[in-house]
Amino acid sequence: MSDFGYLEKLDKVFESVRKKTDFEPRVGLVLGSGLGEFAKEINVSFELPYSEIEGFPVSTVPGHEGRFIFGKLGDTPIVCMKGRVHYYEGYAVSDVVLPIRLMVKLGIKTLFLTNAAGGLKDGMSAGDLMLITDHISVFAPNPLIGPNDSKIGPRFPDMTEVYDLKIRERILELAYENDIPLETGVYCQLTGPTYETPAEIRMLKSLGVDAVGMSTVVEAISARHMGVKVCGISCISNLAAGLSKTPLSHEEVQAAADEAAPRFTRLVSEVIKSL
Ligand code: HPA
């Protein structure tokens, strides 16, 4: 990127949303593949399909329906992204994180990221939930490459604690109180769209990766850049390549998300109501 074009784009999409709603969310929630059913929990005030926002990236993947849902969960005003765009769809990474920057401009103070991911950690099985404790970003494009506007965030943001420690502690407590098993671990974003080879999974495992996917990290980085707190949960939709006998399929990802959905919904609702 050679200019500040993304800032103008951000202003434009912000104006476009503000023409339609003055809702001020406190929490932003991004729903991963197959986890869209969660949106039913929300006491909806307003829905906005991405296609109605001028200049907004629109997902091309089946099952990644794209809309913002504004409403309340308990007393918490929330904006939920049902569907996100991915780098592998061909969007510039600055477009992939545009919705995150938009939600920050709309007022969110906490970003809750969710995804479907392949599990690497010993003992994991499909359908498990994993609290993200940290990430590895080096295989994904960094969303902050390009000119930096210090009004948005610092040139060299600290990444010591991307996933807020206090929120992580609360999530672990709420999981325990609600009898919901919860793994913890390090998430790594690769570009996709291919799933990994068994050799790549052995490499990632040796690097300390517990779950692998194609999203989340670039979103977490851009939110932290803007000073927003971040937390994240992966739904382990399959064991990563080579760790189980079956080849990976998008349908399997969807089926495991369906199986985990009731636990996921309960945990995420409890956490958001407490934010
Ligand atoms: N690898 C990468 N992304 C994924 C996987 C996987 O095994 N499962 C769901 N998203």
Side-chain angles (χ1 to χ4, degrees), residues 192-272:
T194 47
Y195 290 116
E196 302 70 36
T197 64
E200 286 162 348
I201 292 302
R202 285 194 296 276
M203 174 193 74
L204 293 174
K205 202 166 156 89
S206 76
L207 296 177
V209 172
D210 297 305
V212 63
M214 305 174 193
S215 67
T216 302
V217 168
V218 293
E219 296 159 335
I221 290 174
S222 59
R224 288 302 303 134
H225 180 232
M226 294 176 88
V228 159
K229 288 181 188 166
V230 172
C231 63
I233 292 181
S234 291
C235 170
I236 303 302
S237 54
N238 55 278
L239 289 183
L243 301 181
S244 84
K245 298 211 163 34
T246 48
L248 307 186
S249 73
H250 187 59
E251 290 68 31
E252 181 191 9
V253 169
Q254 209 88 35
D258 287 348
E259 192 268 314
R263 280 172 287 128
F264 172 86
T265 298
R266 226 170 69 240
L267 182 56
V268 175
S269 302
E270 291 296 322
V271 174
I272 290 177

Side-chain angles (χ1 to χ4, degrees), residues 58-179:
V58 177
S59 176
T60 58
V61 185
H64 292 216
E65 185 194 340
R67 59 178 57 224
F68 282 118
I69 300 167
F70 296 90
K72 277 198 168 175
L73 204 66
D75 292 330
T76 309
I78 163 177
V79 55
C80 174
M81 283 181 66
K82 193 170 177 196
R84 52 152 68 95
V85 296
H86 296 80
Y87 185 61
Y88 60 72
E89 292 177 73
Y91 291 104
V93 65
S94 57
D95 274 345
V96 174
V97 300
L98 186 70
I100 304 297
R101 289 178 166 143
L102 171 63
M103 290 193 291
V104 177
K105 241 178 119 86
L106 290 171
I108 67 164
K109 302 289 180 269
T110 306
L111 176 67
F112 198 143
L113 294 165
T114 72
N115 58 47
L120 283 75
K121 193 175 178 176
D122 291 337
M124 257 178 185
S125 15
D128 284 355
L129 300 178
M130 186 191 91
L131 176 67
I132 303 176
T133 55
D134 202 350
H135 71 219
I136 290 180
S137 77
V138 295
F139 303 108
N142 195 300
L144 307 186
I145 289 175
N148 187 61
D149 183 338
S150 54
K151 288 199 289 297
I152 288 224
R155 173 73 287 188
F156 300 109
D158 175 60
M159 291 284 138
T160 309
E161 191 188 302
V162 177
Y163 303 88
D164 189 85
L165 182 59
K166 283 212 177 84
I167 302 179
R168 272 191 273 147
E169 285 170 351
R170 188 171 316 156
I171 295 175
L172 286 168
E173 268 168 33
L174 287 167
Y176 181 76
E177 283 167 15
N178 286 277
D179 225 2

